[in-house]
Amino acid sequence: MWHGFPLRPDQISTIAQGVDHLYYFLTAVDLFFTAGIFLTIFYFAIRYRRRSEDEQPPRIEGNLALEITWSVVPALLCGVMFVWGSSLYIRNSRPPEAATEIFVIGKQWMWHLQHPEGPREINELHVPVGRPIKLTMTSEDVIHDFFVPAFRVKKDVVPGRYSTIWFQATKTGRYRFFCAQYCGTFHSHMTGWVEVMTPEEYEHWLSGGVKTESMAAAGAALYQQFGCVTCHGTGKGPPFTNLYGNPVKLDNGQTVVADDAYLRESILDPSAKIVAGYSPIMPTFRGQISEEQILQIIAYIKSLSTAEGKK
Ligand SMILES: [Cu+2]
């Protein structure tokens, strides 16, 4: 019945209903109090209007019961909104461990999507139904925002950092996505389609078409091409084996976990954190390497980690 009605897009993800319920609650509270306040204003204006020139209303000194009521009731309502909203937010911002990762790069004015297995897409995203998908997103230039109304997911895509969202689609079909952050002249062209397929169709789609190498394989080629191997393959730089996801000791005594953000920083700004026991000889690759290539190198480094290597 709501199909195509612009105020409520289709609910196509596991979190869509929860988001909508909170939204209905907030709207209902707003409507109730807006109507109540306006009706009271009009009723009082008429009921207590001045009836003669010398009419003096009685003096009222306050009413404790009323004051407690109008403090406690809004406080309780705000408490409900806070607990409900934040628990939903926390649940929706933590991707399940088993989520399939797909990478999103925004640039003026298109969306570039990359699957770990290799396929790349522009303004189209193919995903399987019923499986959690985690999007790791960054921008090549200005702030964009990835928004899929049918999934009720939306997050800023910021240059210089990785942001993530996740969803699990519940129905096959084609659903629109948009850039939801004004990003220049052709911002309105930065839209596309999510194509939700059955798992079999998705496997078929992944393996069909032009044969592309995996992100990790592309990263391994870049590792040679950029000469990373001359240090990291020789002992002049730390080895990448079992680096991803593990703690790294720095020369200032601190420890950091080697996640996507740390690896990205190590490549673009090597002097920001120096690994203990090594000298700061690594040159910066800022300006020579694209966001997409950084993601490929990270995929390569990730592929060198084994479950047994987890510290
Ligand atoms: Cu944009």
Side-chain angles (χ1 to χ4, degrees):
M1 145 185 158
W2 288 95
H3 189 82
F5 187 62
L7 288 186
R8 210 212 66 171
D10 294 337
Q11 298 174 323
I12 308 294
S13 78
T14 49
I15 66 169
Q17 237 187 8
V19 173
D20 285 358
H21 287 164
L22 175 63
Y23 180 73
Y24 295 151
F25 173 73
L26 296 177
T27 311
V29 170
D30 281 358
L31 287 180
F32 177 80
F33 282 99
T34 307
I37 287 167
F38 275 91
L39 289 177
T40 313
I41 288 175
F42 284 116
Y43 174 73
F44 281 10
I46 294 164
R47 176 82 176 74
Y48 300 108
R49 69 187 183 278
R50 202 172 186 192
R51 279 155 228 260
S52 67
E53 273 305 310
D54 53 359
E55 185 178 347
Q56 286 287 335
R59 205 183 163 83
I60 298 173
E61 287 293 345
N63 183 324
L64 188 64
L66 254 184
E67 282 171 26
I68 289 177
T69 311
W70 74 50
S71 304
V72 170
V73 170
L76 286 178
L77 278 172
C78 288
V80 170
M81 289 173 190
F82 172 73
V83 173
W84 189 347
S86 53
S87 68
L88 199 67
Y89 177 82
I90 290 168
R91 196 145 33 91
N92 295 353
S93 53
R94 282 206 197 122
E97 278 288 324
T100 306
E101 195 172 18
I102 299 175
F103 299 87
V104 180
I105 299 171
K107 59 178 160 207
Q108 289 167 321
W109 285 277
M110 60 180 191
W111 293 104
H112 193 110
L113 299 110
Q114 163 111 54
H115 298 252
E117 295 83 356
R120 296 180 180 146
E121 317 188 64
I122 288 176
N123 296 342
E124 289 254 343
L125 171 60
H126 288 75
V127 294
V129 70
R131 269 200 240 150
I133 307 289
K134 170 183 169 188
L135 301 182
T136 297
M137 316 187 291
T138 190
S139 164
E140 197 78 68
D141 38 49
V142 300
I143 303 180
H144 302 280
D145 189 298
F146 194 80
F147 180 29
V148 194
F151 297 167
R152 307 292 190 274
V153 294
K154 174 167 175 289
K155 194 157 197 177
D156 275 8
V157 176
V158 184
R161 76 159 83 147
Y162 295 122
S163 43
T164 58
I165 50 178
W166 79 275
F167 58 83
Q168 180 169 329
T170 51
K171 217 171 98 191
T172 56
R174 269 167 82 74
Y175 309 99
R176 296 218 68 161
F177 65 77
F178 299 92
C179 179
Q181 187 68 262
Y182 180 67
C183 60
T185 314
F186 294 110
H187 160 66
S188 60
H189 293 201
M190 248 182 108
T191 67
W193 294 92
V194 183
E195 176 96 42
V196 181
M197 316 165 95
T198 64
E200 301 76 48
E201 280 170 348
Y202 180 69
E203 289 311 321
H204 186 76
W205 176 85
L206 267 187
S207 57
V210 196
K211 267 274 156 279
T212 38
E213 54 181 356
S214 71
M215 282 178 77
L222 293 170
Y223 174 73
Q224 301 286 339
Q225 190 188 317
F226 279 107
C228 318
V229 59
T230 56
C231 297
H232 290 280
T234 59
K236 274 204 274 175
F240 290 157
T241 326
N242 288 326
L243 168 62
Y244 191 84
N246 279 319
V248 175
K249 269 212 155 45
L250 302 180
D251 66 350
N252 63 7
Q254 286 179 334
T255 303
V256 289
V257 172
D259 57 8
D260 296 351
Y262 168 78
L263 295 179
R264 183 178 181 284
E265 184 191 59
S266 297
I267 297 168
L268 296 180
D269 192 5
S271 53
K273 299 192 177 83
I274 305 294
V275 183
Y278 291 89
S279 38
I281 53 164
M282 177 168 159
T284 172
F285 287 84
R286 195 179 284 281
Q288 303 170 42
I289 193 165
S290 69
E291 291 295 343
E292 185 181 357
Q293 291 172 322
I294 294 175
L295 286 171
Q296 289 167 339
I297 291 185
I298 293 176
Y300 168 61
I301 295 176
K302 224 183 254 186
S303 73
L304 301 176
S305 291
T306 54
E308 299 83 65
K310 187 106 186 101
K311 282 176 207 138

